Amino acid sequence: MKYIHIPTFIIFGVSIFCISTAHFELANAIQYCWTGTFVILILTYSLSMACMGKRIMLPKDKIMKTVCVLGIIEILYSIIQLFGFVPNNFHYAYFSGSLNNPAIFGMLLSFCTPIAVYYAVRTVGAEQMTWKAMAMAFGVFVILSDSRTAILASICGIAIILRMEVNPLRKFICDRRYRLIGITCVIIALIALYVYKRYSADGRVLIWMVSMEMIKDKPWFGWGFDGYVAQYMNYQADYLTAHPDSPFVLLADETQNPFNEFLHVALIYGIPCAVAFVFVTLWTIWHIYAKVKEHKSVLLCTVCVLVVWFMFSYPLNIPFVWLIILFMFLSTITRTVKPPMPKLCMTLVQTTGFACMYSLYVTGAHDIRKLCLQERATNHCDEEIMKEYEEIYKEYYDDYMFIYNYGALLHLRGEYKKSLEVLNAGKKYLSDYNMMLLIGDDYQKLKQYDLAIASYKRAGEMIPSRYLPLYYRMELYLETGDMEKAYEIANMIINKKNKIKESKLNQQIINKAKECLNY
């Protein structure tokens, strides 16, 4: 226990282990509120102390060791999960730990791995053996997470630690010949990681290309906080419609994030903000290298691990990453200068902190209320539930998840006209493949067939590789007795190219198309 920082263990631990299979989204909302609360409190307290000319002396050593201990607990949890003793939150992989995606599991361990290597280099005896074993465990499970970004981030972090902490290796790297060999190995590793999941990598290239089209249209001020969710799928549909022979047609899928934080900032806030974000990142690396003395290598490698994740994923959406960024911020403050008018500065800091806490409370209460209602509707959707949905619709009209769930419930209850009103009004806040299918089905139930076909076509343009939009069109033509068009769509289904043609659902649709042709 002497190596563990109890506040870090509790705050960081809840941030990664607040889980519930039965109440998955609700647990996530609590996780966000929990982490956000402590980030605001710690930052407000630290800045208040800075206004008084004081600086918090963080127990950096114990904090980093505590994070590694939590990483080991996460590994043990994933092992138990692998044998089925605890539920898996991600059904497309053997384990994801307490997190909802194996890539996020790999993200956590990619921060732990260089820290373990750092202590393995700087300690001796039994303690060194312990850290070596931990580093190996982290490395193995980073690979098992099957996340290329986690592997690349870990390699970069370890390389920085070894470069700065191991003197013989430092001299070895400085040799021009060996440096060339190292660069060649890095290039080969990057190519190997690309080839390993080529379709996934190419899919991200498509996302980046479409995102650039969005940035071109609003380069200075961006699309707003939820602008990506509101517009991306429409842009993807337009891009793929304009390039029907593109190799990306088979790779397109749903997404609510561009998998690049620099691009995301440019999308939602504009290019100037993205440039400022890049500048702050580069300045942080320079500041640590030039000014920070204590734990310089491990702080530098942590920033570089973050940068790798910034380039290929969405770490700013992950609560425990906020704590890591807060730790980096407080650790890189080398000196404190007492500002002029310290009392006024402290008042401003505390007022801002209070405003942030109030905003977090309002947002958290908003989300938890919505999710509780959603869970009640899932268990038993009666008139009382629907009345409550209707009462709060005016308050949640711009919440895209609420809009989709409300529209879907109305559809299930046969209130197709009302469902259409809600979903069509929500198009400005959400462009979504599933919502377009739902709108099409509403139109079909109301016998507005032309509008139904248009909606199904739009869904198919958003994700051309999917079979469902064609299947629904075929069923509509069968319903209206237009056999010629039904046969045409059935032939399109049978001859359709798809990288996951063997899936059970796709095979069922193909069999239905064959039955249609034999009708």
Side-chain angles (χ1 to χ4, degrees), residues 322-386:
W322 307 344
L323 295 171
I324 291 173
I325 293 173
L326 178 63
F327 172 74
M328 296 299 304
F329 173 74
L330 297 178
S331 297
T332 53
I333 298 174
T334 53
R335 63 192 182 92
T336 301
V337 178
K338 193 172 182 178
M341 296 185 291
K343 290 186 178 180
L344 176 61
C345 290
M346 184 183 294
T347 301
L348 289 174
V349 166
Q350 292 175 354
T351 302
T352 303
F354 175 79
C356 290
M357 284 293 293
Y358 179 76
S359 177
L360 179 65
Y361 167 77
V362 171
T363 304
H366 178 282
D367 290 342
I368 289 171
R369 181 186 180 189
K370 173 190 70 177
L371 293 170
C372 287
L373 179 59
Q374 183 180 312
E375 286 192 0
R376 286 164 54 206
T378 302
N379 296 327
H380 180 63
C381 185
D382 54 16
E383 292 295 334
E384 183 180 344
I385 294 288
M386 295 309 297

Side-chain angles (χ1 to χ4, degrees), residues 95-147:
F95 63 86
S96 60
S98 66
L99 303 154
N100 63 1
N101 192 316
I104 302 174
F105 172 82
M107 186 186 295
L108 174 63
L109 298 190
S110 69
F111 286 105
C112 296
T113 306
I115 297 174
V117 172
Y118 172 77
Y119 284 112
V121 169
R122 294 178 69 93
T123 55
V124 295
E127 186 177 352
Q128 185 181 58
M129 294 302 295
T130 300
W131 283 110
K132 284 182 178 180
M134 289 174 71
M136 289 180 63
F138 290 139
V140 168
F141 276 85
V142 162
I143 295 170
L144 292 178
S145 73
D146 205 30
S147 168

Side-chain angles (χ1 to χ4, degrees), residues 236-490:
Q236 179 170 286
D238 293 340
Y239 179 87
L240 295 174
T241 302
H243 303 84
D245 298 324
S246 169
F248 295 118
V249 167
L250 295 178
L251 303 174
D253 208 336
E254 295 173 273
T255 181
Q256 294 186 351
N257 197 288
F259 290 92
N260 184 300
E261 294 291 8
F262 301 111
L263 265 181
H264 198 198
V265 172
L267 274 163
I268 62 179
Y269 299 122
I271 292 175
C273 287
V275 171
F277 183 31
V278 172
F279 173 78
V280 168
T281 304
L282 294 175
W283 180 87
T284 302
I285 294 172
W286 171 84
H287 179 76
I288 293 172
Y289 189 80
K291 304 291 184 179
V292 177
K293 295 182 179 179
E294 188 182 17
H295 303 302
K296 176 187 290 189
S297 61
V298 75
L299 292 175
L300 194 61
C301 87
T302 302
V303 175
C304 290
V305 168
L306 261 176
V307 170
V308 173
W309 282 103
F310 283 162
M311 292 173 65
F312 301 108
S313 193
Y314 46 90
L316 294 181
N317 285 1
I318 311 303
F320 72 76
V321 174
W322 307 344
L323 295 171
I324 291 173
I325 293 173
L326 178 63
F327 172 74
M328 296 299 304
F329 173 74
L330 297 178
S331 297
T332 53
I333 298 174
T334 53
R335 63 192 182 92
T336 301
V337 178
K338 193 172 182 178
M341 296 185 291
K343 290 186 178 180
L344 176 61
C345 290
M346 184 183 294
T347 301
L348 289 174
V349 166
Q350 292 175 354
T351 302
T352 303
F354 175 79
C356 290
M357 284 293 293
Y358 179 76
S359 177
L360 179 65
Y361 167 77
V362 171
T363 304
H366 178 282
D367 290 342
I368 289 171
R369 181 186 180 189
K370 173 190 70 177
L371 293 170
C372 287
L373 179 59
Q374 183 180 312
E375 286 192 0
R376 286 164 54 206
T378 302
N379 296 327
H380 180 63
C381 185
D382 54 16
E383 292 295 334
E384 183 180 344
I385 294 288
M386 295 309 297
K387 186 177 180 181
E388 191 169 346
Y389 263 102
E390 188 172 356
E391 287 174 354
I392 66 175
Y393 174 59
K394 291 181 180 178
E395 181 183 346
Y396 289 76
Y397 72 95
D398 58 348
D399 186 314
Y400 63 88
M401 287 305 299
F402 177 85
I403 290 168
Y404 180 81
N405 287 322
Y406 185 29
L409 282 173
L410 289 167
H411 176 85
L412 289 172
R413 291 174 59 84
E415 299 179 42
Y416 305 118
K417 189 174 181 179
K418 179 66 174 176
S419 175
L420 274 174
E421 290 176 8
V422 171
L423 294 174
N424 280 325
K427 281 184 181 178
K428 66 175 74 173
Y429 308 108
L430 176 66
S431 60
D432 183 74
Y433 163 84
N434 290 306
M435 191 165 83
M436 291 310 300
L437 291 179
L438 196 56
I439 290 171
D441 200 23
D442 279 335
Y443 279 128
Q444 186 172 343
K445 292 293 192 298
L446 294 171
K447 302 190 183 303
Q448 299 181 38
Y449 297 119
D450 289 341
L451 292 173
I453 290 294
S455 297
Y456 293 147
K457 280 185 176 180
R458 190 57 173 173
E461 290 168 352
M462 287 178 172
I463 311 180
S465 61
R466 297 283 178 90
Y467 283 77
L468 274 176
L470 289 174
Y471 171 72
Y472 287 141
R473 286 169 63 188
M474 183 183 75
E475 289 291 304
L476 186 150
Y477 288 132
L478 289 173
E479 181 182 320
T480 58
D482 192 339
M483 301 307 296
E484 183 179 348
K485 288 187 176 179
Y487 294 154
E488 181 185 340
I489 299 297

Side-chain angles (χ1 to χ4, degrees), residues 177-233:
R177 294 169 299 172
Y178 295 120
R179 190 184 299 168
L180 183 61
I181 293 171
I183 292 171
T184 305
C185 290
V186 169
I187 293 171
I188 292 171
L190 289 173
I191 293 171
L193 288 173
Y194 166 76
V195 172
Y196 174 58
K197 286 186 177 180
R198 182 177 176 181
Y199 289 135
S200 174
D202 288 344
R204 292 194 184 185
V205 172
L206 170 65
I207 293 170
W208 295 340
M209 290 170 63
V210 176
S211 296
M212 290 300 293
E213 294 297 319
M214 293 181 67
I215 292 171
K216 284 181 188 177
D217 286 348
K218 288 194 176 182
W220 300 113
F221 301 105
W223 290 88
F225 186 73
D226 287 328
Y228 186 84
V229 175
Q231 296 297 333
Y232 174 81
M233 293 302 288

